[in-house]
Amino acid sequence: MGNEKNLATRRSRLGVTIVFLLYVVLATALIWYSEKVRIEHERARVSYLAGERAIAIQSNIEQAMSSAYALGSMVELTKGDLKEFDRLANTLRMFYPGISALELAPGGVIQRIAPLAGNEKAIGHNLLTDPLREKEALLARTSRKLTLAGPFQLLQGGLGAAGRLPVFLPDEKGGTQFWGFVVVLIRFPEALATARLSELVESGYNYQIWRVHPDTGKKHIIDASSSEELRKPVERTVQVPNATWTLSVAPMDGWIDTTTLAIKIALAVFIAALVIVMTVSWQKSHPA
């Protein structure tokens, strides 16, 4: 009799254990799946937000850089005559407020800047021989395309980037020869102001704008909301003239919502306890 009672008790405990383990497996799978779906939805939402900011950055830079074509056309029409540079440059700066300065660099050497005040140190700078500038300058000349160089520390102080448009004039043989560069200078962080990146921070996200540095091949951070590395960020491409930047965004506290996860686990524990109580109660009311 005693052995039968002990056997029934062991069977009862085994049954409770099996039910509990099955519940744990099911609850774990459900919590994992629900978190996976929630994170996927959150990443999609953040990707949309990042995409909006990436488009704003790209549009702002493209608008500022488009002034290079107007200035380049002037050089072509005047065959390199620089007399009207100041007047035209000042007019362009009124229509393109994102511009910090406009420059003319015949033969790759900066000779004219508007405004000159505060930019005097850049006069006489040879873009084609400076080891910190020449790679992107040569790319612009070789590709014959407007090319955004930088960001880098400016000779006149501060952080900026330069859009360089190579200008080619007709030569005596019926072809063209390199005249020099028309340069559009933008400064940071002013160049990113219209993208309203601060709103991402206010909403609980950190961001980085970065590029692959053409000289080192390493990640070069242009602007960031934090010095900490982002955890599994979403990334959106920012196409700038003849180059590519990337905007990365991630939640400050990571993708896992610890509060929501804790609630799910607490609910699972409560249900587990309830399942055990109900199983034991059923076994007592239905003895073998």
Side-chain angles (χ1 to χ4, degrees):
M1 187 71 178
N3 290 335
E4 291 179 0
K5 186 177 181 180
N6 289 336
L7 181 60
T9 301
R10 286 197 296 271
R11 287 177 176 174
S12 175
R13 290 175 178 174
L14 179 60
V16 171
T17 301
I18 291 174
V19 170
F20 175 74
L21 291 176
L22 288 173
Y23 172 78
V24 168
V25 171
L26 179 61
T28 300
L30 287 174
I31 291 174
W32 174 83
Y33 179 75
S34 66
E35 276 298 291
K36 180 175 178 292
V37 171
R38 187 195 63 78
I39 290 174
E40 287 176 353
H41 287 169
E42 176 66 5
R43 288 183 69 88
R45 190 178 72 83
V46 175
S47 180
Y48 176 79
L49 293 175
E52 287 186 321
R53 298 303 186 271
I55 291 172
I57 294 170
Q58 183 172 316
S59 177
N60 191 44
I61 291 176
E62 285 179 347
Q63 183 181 28
M65 292 298 114
S66 63
S67 62
Y69 295 105
L71 193 54
S73 295
M74 184 206 75
V75 174
E76 291 176 355
L77 289 172
T78 62
K79 298 181 180 180
D81 189 338
L82 311 182
K83 292 178 183 178
E84 297 297 320
F85 168 71
D86 289 327
R87 183 178 64 83
L88 179 59
N90 290 331
T91 301
L92 287 173
R93 290 177 60 234
M94 291 175 58
F95 285 100
Y96 300 92
I99 297 173
S100 174
L102 291 168
E103 304 172 351
L104 291 181
V109 180
I110 298 174
Q111 293 185 9
R112 301 289 293 274
I113 304 178
L116 181 59
N119 295 309
E120 296 89 347
K121 291 183 179 180
I123 295 292
H125 181 223
N126 192 330
L127 302 175
L128 294 172
T129 59
D130 183 343
L132 299 179
R133 306 284 194 272
E134 63 176 353
K135 191 163 188 176
E136 289 158 313
L138 290 171
L139 173 62
R141 187 178 69 175
T142 302
S143 66
R144 297 195 173 204
K145 292 181 180 179
L146 174 65
T147 300
L148 186 65
F152 41 66
Q153 290 297 323
L154 302 172
L155 296 175
Q156 55 268 52
L159 185 68
R164 298 171 184 149
L165 177 67
V167 178
F168 291 81
L169 299 180
D171 59 18
E172 298 176 353
K173 299 178 181 180
T176 58
Q177 62 180 359
F178 176 66
W179 173 87
F181 296 108
V182 165
V183 182
V184 178
L185 187 67
I186 57 176
R187 286 181 176 270
F188 294 92
E190 293 84 355
L192 303 174
T194 58
R196 307 189 314 278
L197 294 172
S198 60
E199 293 181 2
L200 290 175
V201 179
E202 293 169 1
S203 299
Y205 302 100
N206 279 325
Y207 70 86
Q208 288 181 349
I209 302 173
W210 57 276
R211 64 170 183 156
V212 176
H213 198 286
D215 295 327
T216 64
K218 295 181 180 179
K219 183 177 181 179
H220 173 210
I221 296 177
I222 299 167
D223 186 42
S225 60
S226 172
S227 58
E228 297 180 2
E229 193 63 30
L230 303 185
R231 289 174 280 181
K232 298 182 178 179
V234 297
E235 296 183 340
R236 299 302 293 264
T237 297
V238 181
Q239 293 295 342
V240 296
N242 222 10
T244 301
W245 293 356
T246 300
L247 172 62
S248 301
V249 181
M252 293 178 180
D253 299 324
W255 294 102
I256 296 176
D257 186 341
T258 53
T259 301
T260 302
L261 185 59
I263 292 173
K264 290 179 180 179
I265 293 174
L267 181 61
V269 170
F270 172 76
I271 295 175
L274 188 62
V275 167
I276 292 173
V277 169
M278 291 177 65
T279 303
V280 171
S281 177
W282 183 86
Q283 288 178 339
K284 286 182 178 180
S285 62
H286 298 77

